[in-house]
């Protein structure tokens, strides 16, 4: 058989922290003293550091998968076995396929999943052919993951572990330093167990690159991430890890060039689960969503193991795997000023964020043991793995989902209130996480679905009256189950505020609580109960220690039952006429898929958040087939069948601004850089005009219905069919103008998101 002549190059990378040479002026470094219980102060750490960089030259591979290898999963009912290292088919069709493509060797990777190989295998053709054979769940190439260096665009830290302080780890150590019964598996390039700050911390692991028990590092990345999560303390030198009581399990799945295949990574995750890991740190990932990697992540979750993964270092809004799987906790990177970094990947899959700029940790380079500064989400993930270890050390009975929720719920909310695309639920806070874990399992709440970031506009800012506290909501007209964004001010400093609702003639009912900041302010995002009756409702915030109270009236309107189209559906095979999106569990087909692809796809519309269903239009009262996306709604108009207008975008900009009064803009004669629209009395200029023209103009977005204004800290402008947002942090890049998540906001107002 001839080898495939064309290969689609998909970069699947580990998110390597970029380590740069720093020259430290002082001969020694003084570090903050970690604590072990009340009154037990750790000794100061003094160390002469010669920070240096990875000596890495990217190797340009010609293919993005292992040649001559396939990963195949067979249905449980399929008679397949391995005999003397060779595949034994239970059906004539399978046997014929093995013979046709020269698949002569086999080995088990995961339950029912095998690596098949041979000589001169046309991998792409063989994978497609096996997919059509009965009894085969999937057949895919054995993709390779490579290192990707991070941009050197931040000021690196000097002579201090600022991230440890930022996440309040020192205060958490007053409660616990972690337990040696908690094992963090570092699924990476191996770990240098003889490093002074890792000695006695590293237990037996496995090397899946060479299939030996020697999981020593031969690249440096795994040693770096291990130190952040669990380096030793109280040893008079070097650094301290977040959970310096935990143990480290090195699982080597990446070679001495920082590359590893999906087969090897899946084996490593599977082995770590079976051999006692409680947490798996995976500072790796990439664009390709492969079923074998998905199943490995699911296997960890099914066995109550938390998989923590780097969100990635490419800020284009596209998901990265395994971070984007629902079963994983994806971690973005923040800088010293608590702002998200210019390199950190973003999107609805980001769960939390953690320090990722100028992070000092243990290093290995060509056998030399030292310390290095790094930059990237590779550094951020082990912060979270260490915090998870602290949580389990004080409450070992918690489930994986409960630990994940605690980390999310106790994060310091940054950016938009609630979950947003850049920070997730916020920057992690070790102290608050440990304190919540001590109180027992958290009350379950409805999570934000993966791929659907909570980019709800902030309530209009108001000052608390001098007579007492005040609260405001983003929208006083809500539906049962809808999400409310609440802003409060004038309460006690750093107190817990209980949020209560009261229906006419009823008793107060708590729907959640939030902690205020130093000035008595708070922002919260909570869901109304789904059984709240239509009519007047009073929302009250009550200070837990100050007893201060503030209320606001809401009007609950019935939006009807939640359409089943918003339920996730099972996977389907992708083809030119249909597609399945794993992060959200929804499909896209026919005319809607064609329109989505033609007019910008994911970057413009985001993921589908429903299937197709029939809905009555608020514009003309007619019933249309519609489908909701993160950033809009598609409508199929049969009266235009066969024309470019058979699919139209919904007027969500108009719907979401009903009742708002936007003053008209000044009339002027338009030119190439400025436009005025008599139809709505509004103008368009600058980056917004450029984006509008480049991405479809009037046919896609409609007319502007406002002038630029400030919302949620950004300059925005509303259009008939969407909202533009200007992001100065991406100035000069294709992402400086982003579309608002109007599809998500519309569905939330109806109370249909779960």
């Amino acid at each position: 058989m001839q080898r495939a002549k064309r290969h689609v190059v998909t970069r699947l990378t580990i998110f390597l922290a970029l380590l740069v040479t720093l020259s430290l002026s002082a001969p020694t470094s003084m570090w903050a003293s970690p604590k072990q219980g009340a009154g037990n102060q750790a000794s100061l750490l003094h160390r002469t550091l010669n920070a240096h960089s990875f000596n890495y030259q990217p190797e340009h591979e010609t293919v993005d998968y292992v040649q001559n290898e396939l990963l195949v999963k067979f249905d449980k009912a399929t008679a397949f076995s391995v005999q003397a290292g060779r595949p034994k088919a239970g059906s004539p069709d399978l046997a014929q396929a093995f013979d046709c493509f020269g698949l002569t060797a086999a080995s088990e990777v995961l339950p029912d999943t095998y690596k098949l190989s041979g000589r001169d295998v046309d991998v792409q053709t063989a994978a497609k052919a096996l997919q059509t054979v009965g009894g085969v769940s999937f057949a895919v190439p054995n993709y390779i993951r490579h290192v990707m260096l991070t941009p050197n665009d931040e000021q690196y830290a000097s002579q201090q572990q600022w991230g440890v302080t930022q996440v309040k780890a020192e205060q958490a150590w007053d409660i616990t330093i972690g337990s040696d019964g908690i094992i963090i598996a570092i699924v990476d390039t191996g770990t240098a167990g003889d490093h002074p700050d890792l000695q006695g911390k590293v237990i037996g692991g496995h090397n899946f690159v060479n299939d030996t028990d020697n999981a020593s590092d031969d690249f440096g990345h795994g040693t770096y991430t291990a130190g952040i999560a669990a380096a030793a303390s109280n040893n008079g030198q070097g650094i301290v890890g977040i959970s310096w009581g935990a143990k480290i399990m090195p699982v080597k799945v990446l070679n001495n060039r920082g590359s590893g295949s999906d087969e090897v990574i899946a084996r490593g995750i599977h082995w770590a689960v079976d051999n006692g890991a409680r947490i798996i740190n995976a500072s790796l990932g990439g664009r390709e969503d492969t079923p074998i990697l998905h199943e490995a992540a699911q296997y960890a979750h099914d066995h109550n193991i938390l998989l923590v993964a780097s969100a990635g270092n490419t800020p284009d809004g596209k998901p990265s795997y395994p971070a984007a799987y629902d079963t994983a906790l994806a971690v973005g990177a923040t800088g010293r000023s608590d702002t998200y970094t210019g390199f950190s990947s973003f999107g609805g899959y980001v769960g939390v964020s953690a320090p990722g700029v100028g992070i000092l940790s243990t290093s290995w380079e060509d056998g030399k043991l030292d310390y290095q500064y790094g930059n990237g989400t590779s550094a951020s993930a082990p912060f979270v793995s260490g915090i998870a270890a602290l949580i389990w050390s004080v409450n070992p009975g918690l489930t994986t989902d409960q630990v994940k929720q605690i980390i999310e719920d106790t994060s310091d909310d940054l950016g938009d209130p609630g979950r947003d695309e850049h920070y997730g639920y916020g920057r992690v806070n070790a102290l608050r996480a440990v304190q919540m874990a001590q109180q027992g399992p958290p009350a379950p709440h409805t999570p934000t679905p993966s791929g659907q970031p909570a980019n709800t506009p902030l309530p209009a800012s108001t000052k608390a009256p001098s007579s007492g506290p005040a609260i405001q909501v983003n929208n006083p007209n809500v539906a049962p189950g809808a999400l409310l964004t609440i802003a409060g001010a004038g309460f006690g400093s750093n107190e817990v505020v209980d949020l209560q609702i009261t229906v006419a003639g009823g008793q107060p009912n708590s729907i959640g609580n939030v902690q205020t900041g130093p000035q008595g302010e708070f922002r919260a995002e909570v869901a109304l109960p789904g059984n709240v009756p239509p009519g007047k409702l009073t929302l009250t915030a009550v200070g837990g220690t100050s007893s201060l109270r503030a209320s606001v009236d809401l009007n609950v309107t019935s939006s009807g039952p939640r359409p089943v189209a918003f339920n996730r559906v099972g996977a389907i095979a992708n083809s030119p006429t249909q597609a399945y999106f794993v992060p959200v569990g929804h499909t896209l087909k026919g005319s809607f898929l064609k329109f989505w692809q033609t007019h910008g796809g994911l970057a413009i519309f985001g993921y589908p958040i429903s299937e197709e269903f029939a809905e009555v239009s608020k514009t003309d009262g007619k019933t249309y087939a519609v489908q909701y996306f993160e950033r809009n709604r598609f409508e199929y108009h049969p009266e235009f069948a066969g024309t470019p207008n058979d699919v139209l975008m919904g007027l969500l900009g108009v719907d979401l601004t009903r009742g708002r009064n936007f003053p008209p803009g000044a009339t002027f004669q338009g030119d190439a850089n400025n436009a005025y629209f008599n139809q709505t009395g509004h103008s368009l200029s600058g980056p917004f005009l450029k984006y509008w023209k480049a991405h479809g103009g009037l046919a896609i977005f409609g007319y502007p219905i406002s002038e630029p204004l400030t919302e949620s800290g950004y300059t925005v402008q509303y259009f008939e069919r969407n909202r533009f947002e200007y992001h100065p942090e991406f100035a000069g890049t294709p992402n400086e103008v982003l579309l608002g998540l109007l599809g998500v906001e519309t569905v939330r107002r109806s109370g249909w998101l779960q």
Side-chain angles (χ1 to χ4, degrees):
M1 303 295 294
Q2 292 184 345
R3 297 178 182 175
K5 296 182 179 179
R6 292 189 62 202
H7 302 284
V8 178
V9 178
T10 304
R11 274 294 180 191
L12 304 174
T13 64
I14 69 167
F15 298 116
L16 175 64
L18 176 61
L19 304 178
V20 299
T21 303
L22 291 181
S23 192
L24 302 182
S25 57
T28 60
S29 295
M30 183 174 294
W31 306 88
S33 301
K35 305 171 184 178
Q36 185 177 4
N40 185 7
Q41 296 287 336
S43 60
L44 294 178
L45 303 180
H46 297 276
R47 176 74 174 176
T48 300
L49 302 177
N50 296 309
H52 51 281
S53 65
F54 276 127
N55 182 19
Y56 172 68
Q57 296 296 326
E59 182 172 319
H60 299 287
E61 311 255 3
T62 57
V63 296
D64 61 338
Y65 47 78
V66 181
Q67 296 186 59
N68 303 317
E69 292 184 2
L70 290 174
L71 298 174
V72 183
K73 181 176 183 180
F74 299 96
D75 296 338
K76 291 187 180 297
T78 301
F80 174 84
S81 61
V82 178
Q83 298 181 6
R86 299 178 66 87
K88 181 68 174 179
S91 72
D93 288 344
L94 270 180
Q96 183 178 4
F98 293 164
D99 183 65
C100 175
F101 293 100
L103 298 170
T104 58
S107 61
E108 187 177 28
V109 179
L110 299 175
D112 304 315
T113 304
Y114 297 80
K115 178 177 71 175
L116 304 182
S117 60
R119 291 186 60 187
D120 297 326
V121 177
D122 185 339
V123 173
Q124 295 280 22
T125 303
K128 293 178 181 178
L130 283 173
Q131 289 274 35
T132 66
V133 177
V136 175
S137 295
F138 67 72
V140 294
N142 188 12
Y143 285 98
I144 299 172
R145 302 184 180 250
H146 308 280
V147 298
M148 180 177 69
L149 301 181
T150 351
N152 181 15
D153 58 358
E154 295 275 350
Q155 178 64 42
Y156 277 71
S158 149
Q159 305 184 51
Q160 59 179 328
Q161 283 184 275
W162 70 268
V164 170
T165 301
Q166 195 90 317
V167 302
K168 293 182 170 55
E170 290 115 332
Q171 294 93 325
W173 295 332
D174 282 331
I175 301 172
T176 179
I177 62 168
S179 166
D180 61 4
I182 305 298
I183 298 172
I184 304 173
I186 304 296
V187 177
D188 212 298
T189 62
T191 302
D194 57 345
H195 193 288
D197 263 336
L198 298 176
Q199 285 181 349
K201 303 279 298 178
V202 180
I203 66 172
H206 194 78
N207 182 333
F208 286 90
V209 176
N210 301 313
D211 197 22
T212 71
D213 289 332
N214 181 8
S216 297
D217 205 344
D218 55 6
F219 185 68
H221 190 261
T223 299
Y224 177 82
T225 56
I228 296 170
S233 185
N234 262 346
N235 59 0
Q237 61 181 347
I239 65 165
V240 60
I242 296 298
S243 179
W244 40 289
K247 292 292 187 181
I248 297 167
M249 173 189 286
V251 182
K252 183 172 174 57
V253 297
L254 305 171
N255 61 24
N256 60 4
R257 299 187 307 276
S259 301
S261 70
D262 274 1
E263 175 230 346
V264 174
I265 294 170
R267 286 183 187 272
I269 292 174
H270 196 276
W271 186 91
V273 172
D274 289 349
N275 285 273
R278 199 72 182 88
I279 301 147
I280 295 175
N281 187 88
S283 290
L284 53 83
R287 298 297 190 210
E288 199 67 35
D289 173 14
T290 59
I292 190 168
L293 195 61
H294 193 185
E295 289 200 357
Q298 187 65 49
Y299 184 80
H301 183 266
D302 290 346
H303 288 77
N304 206 30
I305 309 302
L306 179 62
L307 174 61
V308 180
S310 299
N313 298 334
T314 307
D316 57 6
K318 297 179 180 179
S320 173
Y321 300 95
Y325 295 133
D326 289 344
T327 52
L329 179 53
V331 187
T334 54
R336 297 185 66 171
S337 61
D338 253 351
T339 56
Y340 60 86
T341 67
F343 61 76
S344 184
S345 295
F346 65 90
Y349 68 97
V350 176
V352 292
S353 52
V357 177
I359 305 302
L360 184 71
S361 187
T362 47
S363 70
W364 178 99
E365 183 179 21
D366 296 329
K368 182 182 178 182
L369 304 174
D370 212 318
Y371 299 86
Q372 293 175 315
Y373 291 97
N375 186 38
T377 55
S378 272
S380 306
F383 272 89
V384 177
S385 295
I387 291 174
L390 295 178
I391 291 172
W392 261 311
S393 73
V394 299
N395 194 339
L398 294 171
T399 67
T400 292
D401 288 338
Q402 288 168 343
V403 170
K404 182 179 179 183
Q405 181 182 329
I406 286 174
I407 293 172
E408 293 171 343
D409 288 354
T410 59
S411 293
D412 292 341
D413 195 2
L414 305 172
D416 289 344
R419 189 176 187 176
D420 62 62
E421 291 184 313
H422 295 280
Y423 297 100
Y425 285 96
R427 193 255 304 125
V428 290
N429 185 312
L431 174 62
R432 292 176 59 192
V434 170
Q435 289 174 331
M436 178 178 280
Q438 288 180 305
Q439 298 171 11
H445 61 72
T446 303
T448 301
S450 176
Q452 299 173 25
N455 196 20
T456 307
L458 297 176
S461 59
T462 59
K463 294 183 179 180
S466 57
S467 58
I471 59 172
Q472 278 203 339
V473 296
N474 61 313
N475 183 18
N477 299 306
V478 292
L483 205 63
L484 272 177
T485 302
I486 309 167
F491 290 85
S493 176
N494 298 313
E495 72 170 335
V496 175
V497 174
D498 191 30
L499 302 172
Q500 306 172 353
I501 57 172
T502 307
V503 299
Q507 296 296 316
N509 177 35
S510 177
I511 59 172
N513 55 61
V514 63
Q515 187 171 19
T516 64
Q519 306 302 317
E521 77 290 352
F522 72 81
R523 288 173 180 169
E525 194 171 61
V526 296
L528 282 181
N531 59 356
V532 174
K536 183 181 177 181
L537 180 75
T538 300
L539 171 69
T540 304
V542 183
T545 55
S546 68
S547 297
L548 293 169
R549 306 170 67 92
S551 298
V552 64
D553 288 336
L554 305 177
N555 180 37
V556 180
T557 59
S558 176
S559 60
R562 179 178 184 269
V564 296
F566 288 93
N567 296 338
R568 286 173 172 256
V569 300
I572 61 173
N574 292 331
S575 73
T577 59
Q578 62 182 22
Y580 181 77
F581 299 88
V582 173
V584 291
H586 285 294
T587 62
L588 188 50
K589 304 174 183 177
S591 298
F592 285 169
L593 174 62
K594 181 180 178 181
F595 185 89
W596 187 86
Q597 292 174 330
T598 301
H599 296 287
L602 194 63
I604 300 298
F605 306 114
Y607 290 110
I609 57 175
S610 78
E611 298 298 295
E612 291 185 32
F613 68 103
E615 185 178 54
V616 177
S617 170
K618 296 179 181 179
T619 303
D620 60 15
K622 296 180 180 179
T623 300
Y624 296 101
V626 304
Q627 186 167 10
Y628 280 83
F629 296 78
E630 290 178 300
R631 303 183 187 278
N632 212 273
R633 178 185 68 229
F634 289 4
E635 302 171 351
Y636 183 75
H637 288 255
E639 68 272 25
F640 300 134
T643 75
N645 297 320
D646 60 349
V647 175
L648 298 175
M649 288 173 62
L651 297 169
L652 299 194
V654 173
D655 291 344
L656 288 173
T657 58
R658 292 187 191 278
R660 296 182 64 176
N661 181 27
F662 296 119
T667 304
F668 62 87
Q669 185 67 39
D671 55 33
N673 300 315
N674 302 276
Y676 181 80
F677 299 89
N678 291 315
Q679 294 86 346
T680 59
H682 290 290
S683 62
L684 188 53
S685 61
F688 286 168
L689 176 60
K690 181 180 178 182
Y691 187 92
W692 187 82
K693 288 181 176 179
H695 294 89
L698 193 64
I700 299 299
F701 306 115
Y703 292 108
I705 58 174
S706 80
E707 295 298 293
L709 65 149
T710 300
E711 284 185 353
S712 305
Y714 291 106
T715 298
V716 306
Q717 186 166 12
Y718 281 89
F719 294 78
E720 290 177 301
R721 303 181 187 278
N722 214 282
R723 178 183 67 231
F724 289 4
E725 302 171 353
Y726 182 73
H727 288 254
E729 67 273 22
F730 300 132
T733 76
N735 296 319
E736 66 177 352
V737 175
L738 298 175
L739 293 183
L741 297 165
L742 268 60
V744 172
E745 293 174 27
T746 298
V747 175
R748 274 189 173 151
R749 288 194 179 186
S750 299
W752 290 343
L753 282 189
Q754 292 183 352

